[in-house]
Amino acid sequence: FQEIVLRSSEDGAVLKLGDIARVELGAEDYGFRTHHNGRVATGVAISLASGGNALEVAESVRNLIRDQEQYFPPGLTAVVPFDNTPFVRVAITGVIWTLLEAILLVFLVMFLFLQNWRATLIPTLAIPVVILGTFGILAALGFSINMLTMFAMILAIGLLVDDAIVVVENVERVMDEEGLSPLEATRKSMDQITGALIGIGVVLSAVYVPMAFLGGATGVIYRQFSATMVSAIGLSVIVAIIFTPALCATMLKQTPKGKDGEKKGFFGWFNRTFDRGNEKYQGIVRRIIAWRKSSFAAFLVIVALMVFLFLRLPTAFLPNEDQGNLFVLIQGPVGSSQERTMEVIEEVEQYFLEEEGDLISDIFAIQGFSFAGIGQSNGMAFITLKDWSERKDPSESVAALAERAAARFSSINNALVYAIIPPPITELGTSAGFTFFLQDNAGHGHEALMDARNQLLGLAAQSPLLTNTRPNGLDDAPQLRVEVDNEKAAALGLSMDEINRTLGVAWGGLYIDDFIERGRVKRVYVQAEAPFRMQPEDFRYWSVRNSAGEMVPFSSFGTTRWDYGSPRLERYNGISAVEIQGEGVPGVSSGAAMLEIERLVEELPPGFGIEWTATSYQERQAGGQTSMLYTLSLLIVFLALAALYESWAIPTAVLLAAPLGVIGAVLASSLRGMERDVYFQVAMLTTVGLTSKNAILIVEFAKINLENGMRLLEATVAAVRDRLRPILMTSLAFGFGVVPLTIASGAGSGAQKAIGTGVLGGMLVGTFLGIFFVPLFFFIIERLFIRKKGRSHE
């Protein structure tokens, strides 16, 4: 380059480039500096395209790196310091093991009640048939195997064996009581329970169908649950009506009448104990019906308590997960130099590598970039923790590490440093907690908006419910304004294009061309020497050529002055706004933190408001859809049962049992300190389906007994006597199936606990209360209908 010849436009003199310019090699951009585990590095960020498979993309990237490493210069290695996919892989693997544990527990519960390997094997065979069929339907619908579909499959395990259990148990009961052959008992049993099986399938499907039609991120979650559950439930009913009876007729062996009373050992003791309990249970049901006014009043108290606890349960969008990653945001004072920001980054690196080294796998730090913006005073670190198998203690979780780091970083004076947990869903925001925009709705101006922002941040810092409340943007900074007098410039024969070009080349640099250097393509930039562009006074060195070929000093037509303003201006929905993020203190849900923010905003001057965004927007949208979802599900269930049984009485008796399970879900979640989030809503709907299913088993048999000429009370008591065993068996099978979810740990445990806790609590309480209150509901409602028809019910 130094040998390139230039010719002067004035006298035609020939000069070499090396005589008037200095040529040197350097970095293309000096705005960023990156470290990996405290050593100089460079990084490449790869984001997943819409509709892409994260695991496949991550594997492809790693394969590409392995292929290219052979061409790296000596001493250069490639690592992947930050990756979201291990969490996905480990979480799905954990859910698969949970699925297998659920199958085993369900099998053991069935064997306890059926006490026959052949009878236990029949419902077990339904599991792979339904699971394979469900996966086939999901593939046809375009869904993938992910945590959402696997969660649904675990819940479906308990539900899909229920139908088969009902068939097998009733066939066994008919053979024992009437001494029929397996084929004859199967035929008689199916005449009794086919209607109940269809009713159960309709109710459970109707509970989940409305979920598929909701919008937003919540709708995506619900849609996959809905598709999985409805497919599994529908297939389980088909299997129970077609496949299970065939197995019963061929696999079961005929036994003498009353064989259960002759069993010895543990099973004999279990049967005798169960029969005695069943007799006591029938007596309690008779007393509840006799004291029906007091009993129904107790039910109303339970409903009131359910509403009270439900409203007090804190709200959230999704539970925070230990994804094995942590973000650290660094915001230096306005105008901080690159060196000053790097000092803070090195202090952050030192803390994690030395004080938390047993937990840390990788640290990738960037100076000049953060989620708040680009600038030399900004920085960010991506922290990757070791595998979950090496972090068993709660003090080694991401949440505990973030809390310790926040306490340590509060002593840093050169910058504000925040340790934040990633959001539950990648790309749906940049952090857990809440995110909103403070808007200048009245048009007060930028300065008033910044004053309101600072006032709100001050109020949030004093709130005992909030922590890490911070602006997610760049603060106003000193700016050097270059002002050109257009009239003077025109009078001096200068064009604005020439002025801008000269200033751009001198101060900002101009890309010229590419060149090849040792086999690599590099860029050529032209820029003034650093000593001539360091201070505002350096503009005096520069002149611009006018139309007459004369050099006009910058001071003849331009001036400079210092100003103070925002490096970027933000708008939200077309209104000037600034973004703010934060979290609730440990133990405070995101919903409670959002309510606290809304309370603080009311203390700001008139004209300022907020709009929730990212996960906070989805949380509010999900909360607004909750009441509609519950109402629509219950309405569809009611209409489906009314059409199936051609009666208003049976659907009413069935749906009255729904609050009995809901209070159990609310109580369990409250006792474990959980929130009312999207997964809790799934658990709620599942609980409604389970309690309705148990109610159908009782009501269907009571209705058949009534139609066969039995009086109302005796028909009701006979139904609870015959249905107690299958209700307890199916409920316990389902309950033990979700126990692994309830006690989950490691990757994905937050979502598993949220679903498992609600479902298990709802199933236990709903089953216990339902077996006592459902007979009461049926008796009261049928008694009213019988009175209207003028018949005797005694």
Side-chain angles (χ1 to χ4, degrees):
F1 282 96
Q2 296 182 5
E3 300 300 321
I4 293 178
V5 176
L6 302 175
R7 184 179 299 277
S8 172
S9 60
E10 294 184 356
D11 55 10
V14 176
L15 298 174
K16 289 185 178 181
L17 180 61
D19 297 332
I20 60 173
R22 183 161 58 90
V23 179
E24 62 180 19
L25 293 177
E28 180 179 341
D29 192 336
Y30 291 91
F32 305 95
R33 292 175 64 181
T34 53
H35 279 181
H36 174 248
N37 290 345
R39 294 182 293 179
V40 176
T42 187
V44 177
I46 299 176
S47 298
L48 186 67
S50 178
N53 184 292
L55 298 180
E56 292 178 357
V57 171
E59 186 63 27
S60 299
V61 171
R62 291 179 183 274
N63 291 336
L64 178 62
I65 292 175
R66 284 194 293 268
D67 293 341
Q68 296 299 316
E69 277 184 321
Q70 58 183 318
Y71 306 113
F72 289 175
L76 183 66
T77 58
V79 296
V80 181
F82 184 83
D83 186 2
N84 288 322
T85 57
F87 169 75
V88 178
R89 184 179 292 105
V90 173
I92 292 179
T93 302
V95 174
I96 291 174
W97 279 109
T98 301
L99 179 65
L100 297 177
E101 293 169 0
I103 294 174
L104 176 61
L105 291 172
V106 168
F107 178 85
L108 294 177
V109 172
M110 290 190 299
F111 183 69
L112 173 64
F113 279 89
L114 296 177
Q115 304 164 12
N116 184 315
W117 287 109
R118 292 174 177 268
T120 306
L121 186 61
I122 292 173
T124 306
L125 291 175
I127 295 177
V129 175
V130 175
I131 288 180
L132 290 175
T134 302
F135 282 145
I137 294 175
L138 294 178
L141 295 175
F143 292 125
S144 61
I145 296 178
N146 52 44
M147 288 184 62
L148 298 175
T149 53
M150 292 306 297
F151 283 158
M153 287 306 305
I154 293 175
L155 295 181
I157 289 299
L159 295 177
L160 66 89
V161 298
D162 280 2
D163 295 331
I165 288 175
V166 170
V167 174
V168 175
E169 189 279 335
N170 205 53
V171 172
E172 289 263 287
R173 181 185 64 83
V174 172
M175 284 197 302
D176 179 67
E177 292 180 355
E178 303 182 20
L180 299 178
S181 66
L183 179 59
E184 294 172 339
T186 300
R187 287 174 175 170
K188 183 171 183 178
S189 174
M190 295 309 296
D191 290 338
Q192 294 175 342
I193 63 174
T194 298
L197 292 175
I198 296 174
I200 291 172
V202 169
V203 167
L204 292 177
S205 299
V207 166
Y208 292 103
V209 166
M211 301 169 67
F213 298 96
L214 299 183
T218 309
V220 174
I221 297 174
Y222 283 158
R223 198 169 300 121
Q224 299 200 42
F225 263 101
S226 176
T228 307
M229 296 299 291
V230 172
S231 300
I233 292 167
L235 289 174
S236 70
V237 173
I238 295 174
V239 167
I241 294 177
I242 300 175
F243 183 60
T244 305
L247 292 179
C248 290
T250 55
M251 292 183 63
L252 294 180
K253 288 186 175 181
Q254 186 172 3
T255 56
K257 185 176 180 180
K259 64 176 177 60
D260 284 341
E262 301 175 359
K263 282 188 176 290
K264 306 296 182 182
F266 172 77
F267 289 133
W269 170 85
F270 178 83
N271 291 336
R272 291 189 296 271
T273 303
F274 183 86
D275 291 338
R276 288 195 297 269
N278 196 337
E279 292 176 2
K280 293 179 180 179
Y281 163 61
Q282 296 172 48
I284 294 174
V285 170
R286 289 179 182 274
R287 286 194 292 272
I288 289 175
I289 294 176
W291 303 334
R292 46 187 170 273
K293 292 183 180 180
S294 301
S295 300
F296 197 81
F299 167 73
L300 295 179
V301 171
I302 292 175
V303 172
L305 180 62
M306 177 208 69
V307 174
F308 174 76
L309 294 176
F310 181 84
L311 295 177
R312 284 181 58 86
L313 197 63
T315 60
F317 177 53
L318 290 172
N320 289 330
E321 295 282 8
D322 183 344
Q323 301 182 47
N325 299 319
L326 186 69
F327 299 149
V328 177
L329 299 182
I330 300 168
Q331 295 180 353
V334 173
S336 296
S337 64
Q338 187 180 74
E339 288 73 19
R340 185 174 181 180
T341 306
M342 281 303 303
E343 290 178 1
V344 178
I345 289 178
E346 289 169 358
E347 185 174 353
V348 170
E349 291 174 331
Q350 183 180 11
Y351 165 76
F352 283 111
L353 291 175
E354 295 182 2
E355 299 185 34
E356 303 285 358
D358 294 339
L359 303 179
I360 304 304
S361 172
D362 293 281
I363 302 177
F364 186 75
I366 308 173
Q367 180 277 324
F369 166 84
S370 77
F371 291 150
I374 297 175
Q376 63 182 8
S377 61
N378 282 11
M380 186 169 184
F382 298 86
I383 317 297
T384 299
L385 280 67
K386 293 183 178 179
D387 191 82
W388 293 265
S389 61
E390 303 179 44
R391 298 186 289 111
K392 298 292 188 180
D393 194 89
S395 63
E396 298 174 338
S397 66
V398 165
L401 177 61
E403 191 173 349
R404 292 196 300 271
R408 169 63 177 80
F409 296 154
S410 63
S411 62
I412 296 179
N413 298 322
N414 292 335
L416 296 175
V417 183
Y418 303 98
I420 60 176
I421 300 174
I425 297 180
T426 306
E427 304 296 338
L428 193 59
T430 57
S431 69
F434 56 81
T435 304
F436 66 93
F437 278 91
L438 178 65
Q439 292 182 310
D440 180 14
N441 295 321
H444 292 304
H446 179 71
E447 291 185 8
L449 177 61
M450 298 305 292
D451 291 340
R453 185 204 71 172
N454 295 335
Q455 180 183 350
L456 180 59
L457 292 176
L459 294 172
Q462 299 173 9
S463 173
L465 303 180
L466 305 177
T467 185
N468 272 355
T469 307
R470 60 197 180 275
N472 191 40
L474 301 177
D475 287 331
D476 290 356
Q479 300 173 343
L480 182 65
R481 290 191 176 273
V482 179
E483 297 182 345
V484 176
D485 189 322
N486 293 335
E487 295 181 356
K488 286 185 179 181
L492 294 171
L494 298 171
S495 68
M496 290 303 299
D497 288 341
E498 190 64 29
I499 293 173
N500 291 333
R501 186 181 302 109
T502 301
L503 295 181
V505 172
W507 293 76
L510 177 67
Y511 165 69
I512 300 298
D513 203 350
D514 296 333
F515 72 100
I516 306 297
E517 198 264 339
R518 283 182 287 184
R520 296 184 178 275
V521 178
K522 298 185 178 180
R523 290 188 168 189
V524 179
Y525 287 90
V526 174
Q527 191 175 34
E529 289 274 17
F532 300 98
R533 51 181 174 85
M534 296 292 291
Q535 303 292 332
E537 294 77 13
D538 293 340
F539 276 94
R540 70 179 185 273
Y541 296 125
W542 296 94
S543 300
V544 181
R545 189 182 302 277
N546 65 8
S547 57
E550 300 170 342
M551 303 302 293
V552 181
F554 179 82
S555 58
S556 300
F557 58 86
T559 58
T560 60
R561 65 179 177 87
W562 285 103
D563 199 356
Y564 201 77
S566 175
R568 67 181 187 184
L569 297 176
E570 296 177 281
R571 291 180 176 272
Y572 191 79
N573 290 336
I575 301 174
S576 295
V578 289
E579 188 177 12
I580 298 176
Q581 295 180 337
E583 305 164 16
V585 298
V588 174
S589 69
S590 59
M594 291 166 65
L595 292 175
E596 177 69 1
I597 286 292
E598 291 175 339
R599 184 187 68 82
L600 297 179
V601 169
E602 294 178 356
E603 301 183 25
L604 298 181
F608 294 99
I610 63 172
E611 287 288 342
W612 299 107
T613 188
T615 55
S616 300
Y617 172 77
Q618 297 296 336
E619 180 173 340
R620 281 301 167 88
Q621 189 180 44
Q625 294 176 333
T626 300
S627 57
M628 180 187 70
L629 176 62
Y630 294 158
T631 303
L632 191 57
S633 294
L634 293 176
L635 179 61
I636 292 179
V637 169
F638 182 84
L639 295 178
L641 288 176
L644 185 64
Y645 291 108
E646 299 180 353
S647 168
W648 299 112
I650 292 179
T652 304
V654 168
L655 289 186
L656 281 174
L660 303 176
V662 173
I663 190 173
V666 174
L667 277 173
S669 297
S670 300
L671 292 175
R672 297 196 72 181
M674 294 182 172
E675 294 89 16
R676 179 157 42 102
D677 54 23
V678 170
Y679 289 134
F680 172 81
Q681 294 171 15
V682 171
M684 283 266 293
L685 291 175
T686 303
T687 299
V688 170
L690 290 172
T691 52
S692 300
K693 179 210 71 172
N694 291 339
I696 289 174
L697 288 176
I698 294 176
V699 169
E700 171 76 8
F701 266 64
K703 175 176 172 291
I704 293 175
N705 292 337
L706 199 61
E707 292 173 349
N708 289 336
M710 297 179 67
R711 295 189 178 277
L712 180 57
L713 179 59
E714 297 306 321
T716 305
V717 174
V720 300
R721 179 198 64 206
D722 294 339
R723 294 294 87 197
L724 180 62
R725 192 181 189 95
I727 286 175
L728 293 181
M729 180 165 46
T730 56
S731 298
L732 287 177
F734 183 86
F736 277 96
V738 299
V739 164
L741 288 177
T742 309
I743 61 176
S745 60
S749 60
Q752 294 184 56
K753 289 179 180 178
I755 293 179
T757 300
V759 172
L760 183 60
M763 186 277 301
L764 290 176
V765 177
T767 301
F768 176 76
L769 295 178
I771 59 177
F772 295 106
F773 279 99
V774 170
L776 173 68
F777 300 150
F778 178 79
F779 183 89
I780 292 176
I781 293 173
E782 281 294 332
R783 187 168 179 265
L784 293 175
F785 275 79
I786 291 173
R787 274 186 171 180
K788 288 182 179 180
K789 296 177 181 179
R791 294 184 298 174
S792 172
H793 60 274
E794 299 300 334

